[in-house]
Amino acid sequence: EIVLTQSPGTLSLSPGERATLSCRASQTISSSYLAWYQQKSGQAPSLLIYGTSTRATGIPDRFSGSGSGTDFTLTISRLEPEDFAVYYCQQYGSSFTFGPGTKVDIK
Amino acid sequence: QPQLQESGPGLVKPSETLSLICTVSGDSISSSSYYWGWIRQPPGKGLEWIGSIYYSGTTYNNPSLNRRVTISVDTAKNQFSLRLTSVTAADTALYYCARGSIVGASTIREIYYFDYWGQGVLVTVSS
């Protein structure tokens, strides 16, 4: 099973700042089958990014994904008030596993 | 865009069977482009994939839950369902259904990511 580790566990930032979230896999993720989800309090997760770097429908371009192999990054270029949430990475190339999440909260 | 809605009992006794249904609207469960999956989230914790099904009935389950999980599909009703047997308190969670969009295939299975999710239903295991 591919284990995903996310860092940091919590990221405290102010609106307008840049957020950089890391996701590291225990094995190479084939063909960059890596997705990112956003989960706001009391809501279901929603897809942000798939295939490492492709934004899902309706996702603003301040969200970007990058990486390959075992190291992946989600970047939010300028945080908007609605971006404060928990973010999960997920690999779907070898079964399905999720990372433990990074909480982005307001500083 | 599709809408997915989970339904089922919110309380299940230990050792009994948890049964949930996901009703899909705005999309056909019989589409060859999608798998349909179940994911759960214990309160305050992370996400765990339970299993997935194709409209043909092909299933693919989490090995850690496989012996307790049955996922089935009813194309006439545009629904798919989850049965989890011999539940314990550790099965208390928010249960989500989701659509998996197929983007490729490996030697073992199709490759898909979950793009639309239901709002989730909380199932508590308690006597």
Side-chain angles (χ1 to χ4, degrees):
Chain A
E1 174 182 296
I2 296 179
V3 177
L4 299 178
T5 304
Q6 292 186 243
S7 61
T10 301
L11 196 53
S12 297
L13 295 168
S14 300
E17 289 194 295
R18 181 185 187 89
T20 303
L21 287 68
S22 174
C23 177
R24 179 163 290 177
S26 61
Q27 306 170 39
T28 295
I29 295 176
S30 58
S31 303
S32 297
Y33 291 136
L34 191 285
W36 290 92
Y37 296 87
Q38 177 192 67
Q39 187 175 33
K40 297 180 182 179
S41 180
Q43 297 184 19
S46 61
L47 179 68
L48 289 174
I49 301 278
Y50 63 93
T52 297
S53 60
T54 303
R55 281 186 298 275
T57 303
I59 301 303
D61 61 7
R62 65 179 181 272
F63 291 92
S64 63
S66 63
S68 65
T70 61
D71 289 298
F72 299 85
T73 300
L74 174 69
T75 302
I76 310 171
S77 59
R78 288 176 54 86
L79 282 163
E80 297 287 340
E82 62 268 27
D83 299 337
F84 291 92
V86 179
Y87 293 84
Y88 294 96
C89 60
Q90 180 219 13
Q91 67 81 23
Y92 51 97
S94 173
S95 190
F96 299 88
T97 50
F98 292 88
T102 290
K103 182 178 182 179
V104 179
D105 66 13
I106 299 177
K107 189 174 182 180
Chain B
Q1 63 184 35
Q3 307 275 343
L4 295 90
Q5 179 68 58
E6 306 87 350
S7 59
L11 181 64
V12 182
K13 291 182 167 55
S15 80
E16 295 191 346
T17 297
L18 178 160
S19 296
L20 296 174
I21 292 172
C22 181
T23 302
V24 179
S25 57
D27 205 350
S28 173
I29 208 167
S30 298
S31 170
S32 59
S33 300
Y34 308 120
Y35 265 74
W36 305 90
W38 290 97
I39 299 105
R40 70 179 183 179
Q41 184 174 35
K45 295 188 178 180
L47 298 159
E48 179 183 35
W49 169 71
I50 299 170
S52 305
I53 191 164
Y54 196 54
Y55 77 93
S56 63
T58 298
T59 57
Y60 181 54
N61 296 335
N62 188 327
S64 69
L65 298 169
N66 193 43
R67 63 179 180 83
R68 297 197 293 134
V69 168
T70 302
I71 298 176
S72 57
V73 65
D74 187 334
T75 55
K77 294 182 177 179
N78 225 38
Q79 296 175 334
F80 62 106
S81 61
L82 168 69
R83 292 182 74 249
L84 181 66
T85 61
S86 304
V87 298
T88 69
D91 295 310
T92 293
L94 264 168
Y95 285 77
Y96 297 102
C97 59
R99 187 184 82 171
S101 281
I102 297 172
V103 293
S106 69
T107 55
I108 301 171
R109 64 172 183 91
E110 284 78 11
I111 304 294
Y112 48 94
Y113 59 88
F114 294 110
D115 55 358
Y116 290 97
W117 296 53
Q119 65 186 22
V121 60
L122 178 63
V123 179
T124 301
V125 179
S126 175
S127 55

